[in-house]
Structures are given as C-alpha cells and as structure tokens.
Amino acid sequence: MSVWKRSTIWQWISALLLFFMLREWLLPLQELTDTGVLWPFLVIVAGVLVIDVAIPHRWATLPLKVLGLLWLLHATLFDAPLFATDWLAELYRHIVHDLPLAFRQDWGAMSILSRNALFDTMLLVLITMLTYLVLEQRQGLWFVFLTELYLAVLDTFLPYDASAGIVRTLIFGFLLLSVSHLMRMTSMATVTEKRSRILFGSLLASLLVIMISVGIGYAAPKKAASWPDPIAFLLGSGMEGSPAVMKKVGYDNNDERLGGPFQQDNTLVFTATTNERSYWRGDSKDVYTGVGWEKGEREYEAILDPQNYEWKNELFRGLETKKVEATLQFNGPQQFATVFYPGQLNKMSNYAPPNATVVYDKQNQQLEVRAGKINLIRATGENGRKEYGPNTLLLKLNQYKLDAEVPIVSEKAVIAAGTDYPDEIKERYLQLPANLPPRVKELAQSVTKNAKTPYEKVRAIENYLRTSGKYKYETKDVPVAAEGQDFVDHFLFESMRGYCDHFSTSMAVMLRSLDIPTRWVKGFAPGQRVGSDEKNRDIMEVRNKDAHSWVEVYFPGYGWIPFEATSTFVSPVRFNYDLRTSQPQLPIPVPDLGNQTSPDRGDGRFDRLEEGDAIPQKRFSIPWQVNVALLGVAAGAGFLAWRRRKEIQIWWLRRQIDLDKSNKYTDRFNLLLRVMERVYTRRQSGETLREYASRITIPADKRQDLRYLTEMYERTVYGYKELEQKARSVAEQLIERLLRQLKP
C-alpha cells in the first residue's frame, strides 16, 4: 500500500524558483510576437507545478490537468456557460477538423480554437516533463544552461533586451540548484535534529554568494566591448562609418524610426484575385516626429459583425469610381491582423476564421482584426443585459473578400477644389516638428514657384522627387541620418538616395510646409500578375518586396487622393485629364536625356540586319553547280529567316518608324508599341496602356521612358490636341533611345 507523502517547504520553494525560470521563457512572446496577454500560459505553468508538487501520484494528476485545461480554454475563448455542452461540441469539431492540418504543419489554415488548444496542450505536457526532471530527478543544471542560452540568443539576434532576464535566471537557477543539492545532502543525514539546521545554513551561504557575485558584477565598472556586434558585422554594416543595421523588407507596424538599408525578401505574403490592379492600403499615420511617423489621437469603432457592415465615403467622395472585387488568400508564412484593401473599402465578407471582429480606426481608416468578442458587462438582475466588445487578442485572417471602389480623379475638379480646409483637417494634417530645418520649406517653395493651385503644387513636388534626377532609388547603400538630424532634411540635401519611405515622407513634409494637408500611407504595391481566373480577373502574388508607402493629399469636397513620389513605382490611380481651358496643360515630368551612352546592341544582330538589305548583282552566265549552291544558300537563308522572323519583324518596324518622322505622334507611338510587343509580350485583351507598361519586365530607365510616352499619348488622344514642338522633340528622342536599346 502506497503512502501519501506530504510535500516539504523546500519542494514548494524549488517549484517557485522553477516557475520564475519558466516565466522568462514566456516574457519575450509579448514583445516579439502578436501575443496579447500571457496570463493563460502562466496559469498553465503554475497549475501544473502546484498539481505535481501537491499530488505524488502521476496517474492522479492527469484528470485534474485536463479539467483545468478545459476551464482555461472556456475562460479565454468562449462566452457560453461553463457547464453547457455547446462549447465543448464546438471545440471538439474544430479539433477533429484541424488535426490533419496540424500534421501537415499548415498552421495558418487552422482555427484559433484549435491552435490555442494545441499550444496549451503542448505547454502542459512540456511543463509536466520539466517538473519530473528538475524537481523529482533533480537534473536542473541543463535547464539553467538552456534558459541562459535561449535568452542570450534572443538578446543577440532579435530586438529584445534580455539583459535583466539573464541576471534573474542566473539568480533563480543557482538558487534552484542549491536547494536541490542541499535536499539531496540532508536526505542522507542521520541526525534528524541537525537536518533542518544544515539545510538552512547551506542555503543561506549559497544565497549570500549569489547576491555578492551579482552585486559586484552589476556595480563594478565595465569596459566597452572589444568585439563588434556579431549581427551587424556579419551583415556588413558593423564597420566604422556605417552605423546602419541591415533589415529585411516587409510590412511593419512600427514606423517610429525610418531609414537604413534593407535586404530584398521574396517571401509570399498573399495571393489576390481582382478585377483591378491597385495599391493594397493597410494604414496611415499623421504625426511626423523628425525621424519617423506615429499616430495622433484616434477614434475607434467596434464592429462585431463585419460580414454585415458597410463603409461609405471613408476616404473620398464626389468622384467617378470603378467597382473592385478582390479575394485575398494568405498562404505564405506571414499573416497580419491588418486588413489590406484596394482604394476605398465598402464591404468585407467570406473571411476565415469566421469568429473575427474588427476594431476600425476612423481617423486613419485602418481595420484591425480581433479574435471574436467578449462579454464586457455581466448580466445583473432580471433585466440585466450583456454588453459585448471585440476581444483583446489579435486575429490573423487566412482569407477574406473585399468590395471596394477606386477613384477616377477629375483633374478639373481637384484643381478647382481650393484651400477651404476644415479646421480638424488643418489641426491634424499640417503638423511639423518645431525643429524642421528651414531649407526644407525653402526647397518646397522653390519647386512650386510657378504653381498656383494646391494640385499643381502637389504635382510639381511629385515630379521633382521622381524625375529631377537628383534622387536615386537605393535599398542597400542607404546612409542613416546622424543623431538629432531630421530624416527628410538628410535625404533631400545630403544622402539623396533611399527608397519609398524616403520619397513619400519627403513629399508629405514638403507639402505640409506649404500648408497642404497630407498624411503618410503604407501597405503593398499591386504585386506580380501570375495568371487569370475563369472570369478573366488577374491573379496577383504580393510578396514582402512589394511592401510600399505613398502619400495621400486632402482636397476640400473630395477627400483623400493618393499620389506616388517614388521614381520606380507607378501609381495605379486613374486621372481624367479633362481640362477644357485656354491655359496650357500641366507640365509632364520629362526624363533626363543627358549623359547618354552608346546603345548596347548585344550580339550585333540588329547591325547585321540593317546592313544586309543590299540587293546582290546578277551575273550573266551561272554554271548549274553555282545555281545549286545558291539554291542551298537561299534555302538556308530562308530557314534562318524563319528562325529569326521575330528579329526581322522588329527591324522592319524600326525602319517604318525611321522612314517618315513627320507622321503623327500617335501613329509613331503605335508602331513603337508593336515593337515592344514583339520584343517582350503582347497586350492582353482589355489591358490599358498604363497596365501594360507596368506589367512587362524591363529596366527602370526604359519603364520610365515608356510611361512618359504613354502619358503623352493619352493626352494627345483624349485631349484632342497635337503636341507642342518642345514636347514632340523630347518624345522623338525617347523613341529613338528606346529603339536603340531594345533587344529581342
């Protein structure tokens, strides 16, 4: 018959020290992941330790642990009564359905119920094993070492300061080892009276040694590290004069400090099926601090049933729009609690997991997804009502469908919008740091000196950043502003190279200095088209490298209109150039035509084609052998011409363009387009010229030339007027440059 042994005070002390060490494993989750609260995990750790120390029989602890786990799942994920069976049936259905997904490691497709149940169960099993090894078998040294190694790795490789945790683990770990060792020594003592005295004295000595060692280590003067930071050193950014640490490109909610180099990352974020290519808007920010962006005061709206909720005129109004339907599938390793939508959102539906609720930031038009709803006020009395709100836990959706609309901006309307901004707009979106260098505003005034309306000033600054040639798009060799230096000032006047964050922030700040309300927006570029569905809608793959930021400008009566300041990106927003006045059209950004180098003709195929059009002379008497040889040569030439028919077609089209330069610009542009289609790929049915220019894979300088020529063509066709002589001359030079550089 087994005897029930009572737990000693030293066993409880050992369990408490082990709890503090396990807590160090959980604390980083709140800072490095989207974990909202830690108390459910701490309850599991404490509950397992209490049960295992209090009950000596392992078989008796299992039912208690299972019941405790079910209670915890009910408390955190369900609002039904504890003793009802509905929530148990729902939990069972989710687990059975998601078990195959767990075996395939498809964690993103699992429901939040299954993921929580699986994680809590694994944590319970792990703590049970640790309790057996550390408390019963007294094998704690390896666990102390493993905990220190875990915290050191987090402190070195991730943005987590584990210095305090390392010191705490050192104290708790050595105390745990001391108690475990002394308990083993005193168990062998023969004199019962002296056992507690020996244990107490030895423990006090160990505690004093630890306190003195840690105190001296904390208070003693420390020499600076003689080795460089290993991460910065390995990434090539730890050298003298290069303080920046290389990051990976991607969407991040923290924009408090912008800048620094980054590495391209091709990781898939989501796949979208849509009838319109647009930027995927995630969030906007309105407070520029001099080093980055933050959010000011916010007004939130709780949406407990997003499936039946509709948004109206949240971004813009009074403009012609195009309806957009998009379905997003998050199949990659990265998921977000933010909803990304094209243009202006109207409705969200078909989302999974289905228990999602939404917290809507009404000031910045951001949708943050939460894991269901919780009971805010308990029912009291007979007439008591339950009040619900969104859960505090974030939820990452696997998929959702969006109904939205994108604007077709009337140039005539926004030019006439004026400057009668509402007071709340001026107070919020004209903010600038008090120490912004004056030369930023002076530059903005210089760039816009010939512009009269806010829209013309917006276009002037946009064109200046995109096409002046002063600013280079760069992701790796990106200097970081010195401590205390303004981010925009450093980019505009010193480094002059950066990526979308530099261009968009500079445009927003320059416009604010001219009293034009703007805000900074972030999300993803449209992505890469990989196919189409049965309804001929585009299937787009959006990857980390497509993370992007741009600018929204407020126009009275119409709302927020997006603009693109980064030279290597083209805004998908459509503009209707509907001005009908005697005034000249707004200037079009002219690419830099200077410093042209000799064209790269590749292997010289174009040279041979151009020089091979001479007609050979006929001889009077040709022997039959020569005729046979000539026939063979002709057959070979015919075969070679058939094999190289694509190059010959391109050569012929180029000759057509060169023969008569007096043709209309529209005719010459169409011939150029035919050449582009032969060299790269044909336009698809229903594809606009801008969409085609954005889709084909060509170098950035060629893409910029083609976009410029496309915009000139649109103005000529839809504006019903021929180009002026200067614009025609620039267009001819660009056509010549493109033709020389095209290689089949």
Side-chain angles (χ1 to χ4, degrees), residues 247-255 262-265 267 269 334 336 500-501 522-524 543-548:
K247 303 174 289 186
K248 275 191 176 182
V249 65
Y251 186 89
D252 185 8
N253 288 322
N254 188 349
D255 305 295
F262 67 75
Q263 294 175 324
Q264 291 290 357
D265 183 12
T267 303
V269 179
Q334 286 190 305
F336 298 91
C500 58
D501 290 349
K522 59 185 299 186
F524 288 94
R543 302 178 180 273
N544 264 337
K545 65 180 182 180
D546 296 313
H548 189 46

Side-chain angles (χ1 to χ4, degrees), residues 516-658:
I516 299 176
T518 60
R519 62 184 179 185
W520 187 74
V521 190
K522 59 185 299 186
F524 288 94
Q528 180 69 33
R529 184 183 184 276
V530 295
S532 59
D533 65 357
E534 64 280 0
K535 297 182 180 179
N536 202 31
R537 296 177 299 183
D538 291 331
I539 300 177
M540 312 291 294
E541 284 187 349
V542 179
R543 302 178 180 273
N544 264 337
K545 65 180 182 180
D546 296 313
H548 189 46
S549 61
W550 60 95
V551 177
E552 286 180 349
V553 181
Y554 186 85
F555 292 92
Y558 299 100
W560 296 101
I561 306 299
F563 289 89
E564 179 57 77
T566 309
S567 58
T568 55
F569 289 79
V570 176
S571 174
V573 178
R574 301 184 181 188
F575 274 81
N576 180 14
Y577 299 102
D578 52 359
L579 291 178
R580 294 289 185 270
T581 68
S582 59
Q583 298 297 324
Q585 294 280 327
L586 292 175
I588 304 173
V590 179
D592 182 20
L593 298 173
N595 300 323
Q596 296 189 28
T597 58
S598 58
D600 178 14
R601 292 182 176 266
D603 56 2
R605 287 176 288 180
F606 281 145
D607 295 337
R608 292 197 295 272
L609 286 170
E610 290 174 345
E611 295 169 1
D613 56 309
I615 302 176
Q617 293 284 335
K618 239 183 168 182
R619 297 185 181 178
F620 178 72
S621 180
I622 303 175
W624 68 270
Q625 295 91 343
V626 176
N627 287 330
V628 171
L630 289 175
L631 185 62
V633 171
F639 177 76
L640 182 62
W642 181 81
R643 290 288 303 270
R644 295 199 169 184
R645 61 190 182 279
K646 184 176 181 180
E647 289 91 331
I648 295 175
Q649 289 175 347
I650 296 171
W651 169 77
W652 176 255
L653 289 171
R654 291 182 60 196
R655 285 183 60 84
Q656 292 293 105
I657 295 176
D658 292 334

Side-chain angles (χ1 to χ4, degrees), residues 192-438:
T192 307
E193 301 83 28
K194 296 183 178 180
R195 186 175 300 170
S196 59
R197 189 186 310 167
I198 294 172
L199 183 60
F200 179 76
S202 302
L203 182 62
L204 181 61
S206 301
L207 184 61
L208 289 174
V209 169
I210 293 172
M211 292 178 62
I212 292 173
S213 302
V214 173
I216 293 175
Y218 179 79
K222 303 170 184 65
K223 185 180 178 181
S226 57
W227 288 1
D229 179 13
I231 305 306
F233 181 78
L234 291 173
L235 292 174
S237 55
M239 303 301 181
E240 184 178 357
S242 180
V245 177
M246 188 74 75
K247 303 174 289 186
K248 275 191 176 182
V249 65
Y251 186 89
D252 185 8
N253 288 322
N254 188 349
D255 305 295
E256 295 178 358
R257 182 170 289 275
L258 300 177
F262 67 75
Q263 294 175 324
Q264 291 290 357
D265 183 12
N266 206 40
T267 303
L268 179 67
V269 179
F270 61 86
T271 302
T273 304
T274 177
N275 64 323
E276 179 78 6
R277 299 182 195 181
S278 304
Y279 281 168
W280 303 99
R281 191 184 192 279
D283 197 3
S284 66
K285 297 189 176 180
D286 57 323
V287 178
Y288 175 65
T289 63
V291 294
W293 290 94
E294 298 177 0
K295 286 188 176 183
E297 295 182 2
R298 283 161 271 183
E299 180 182 354
Y300 291 108
E301 179 182 0
I303 302 174
L304 301 182
D305 187 13
Q307 187 90 14
N308 298 312
Y309 189 90
E310 292 189 9
W311 287 267
K312 297 284 188 182
N313 301 327
E314 294 293 320
L315 282 174
F316 51 82
R317 58 196 176 275
L319 297 172
E320 182 184 355
T321 62
K322 179 180 179 180
K323 298 296 182 182
V324 180
E325 291 184 358
T327 301
L328 277 63
Q329 294 278 350
F330 289 79
N331 300 321
Q334 286 190 305
Q335 294 174 303
F336 298 91
T338 298
V339 174
F340 299 99
Y341 56 90
Q344 177 170 262
L345 181 63
N346 292 333
K347 191 173 179 59
M348 182 177 74
S349 59
N350 295 351
Y351 45 81
N355 63 315
T357 59
V358 170
V359 173
Y360 180 54
D361 183 350
K362 300 177 69 174
Q363 298 290 345
N364 300 286
Q365 289 76 48
Q366 180 209 16
L367 281 76
E368 186 179 82
V369 186
R370 301 293 180 86
K373 57 184 179 180
I374 57 175
N375 188 8
L376 299 178
I377 301 176
R378 295 290 180 184
T380 57
E382 296 182 357
N383 298 324
R385 294 177 56 191
K386 289 186 177 181
E387 185 175 335
Y388 293 96
N391 202 323
T392 57
L393 298 176
L394 298 177
L395 176 63
K396 299 175 181 179
L397 294 178
N398 306 324
Q399 67 176 42
Y400 46 86
K401 178 183 177 183
L402 302 170
D403 293 329
E405 55 187 359
V406 294
I408 302 175
V409 183
S410 165
E411 192 178 56
K412 182 178 181 180
V414 292
I415 284 180
T419 59
D420 188 16
Y421 303 112
D423 291 339
E424 61 271 17
I425 293 294
K426 291 190 291 185
E427 292 173 4
R428 188 179 184 93
Y429 298 105
L430 293 178
Q431 171 273 336
L432 287 172
N435 58 349
L436 180 72

Side-chain angles (χ1 to χ4, degrees), residues 48-120:
V48 171
L49 289 174
V50 169
I51 292 174
D52 284 346
V53 173
I55 303 176
H57 302 293
R58 288 281 171 184
W59 57 267
T61 63
L62 182 60
L64 291 176
K65 293 176 182 176
V66 172
L67 291 174
L69 182 60
L70 290 175
W71 170 84
L72 186 64
L73 290 172
H74 172 270
T76 55
L77 299 174
F78 293 95
D79 193 56
L82 176 62
F83 296 103
T85 58
D86 294 344
W87 70 273
L88 284 172
E90 183 180 357
L91 178 63
Y92 175 77
R93 285 194 301 269
H94 278 276
I95 292 176
V96 171
H97 177 269
D98 292 344
L99 270 180
L101 300 175
F103 287 122
R104 294 199 300 266
Q105 299 183 12
D106 190 3
W107 315 115
M110 297 175 61
S111 69
I112 188 172
L113 292 176
S114 302
R115 291 201 300 266
N116 274 269
L118 178 62
F119 183 83
D120 291 350

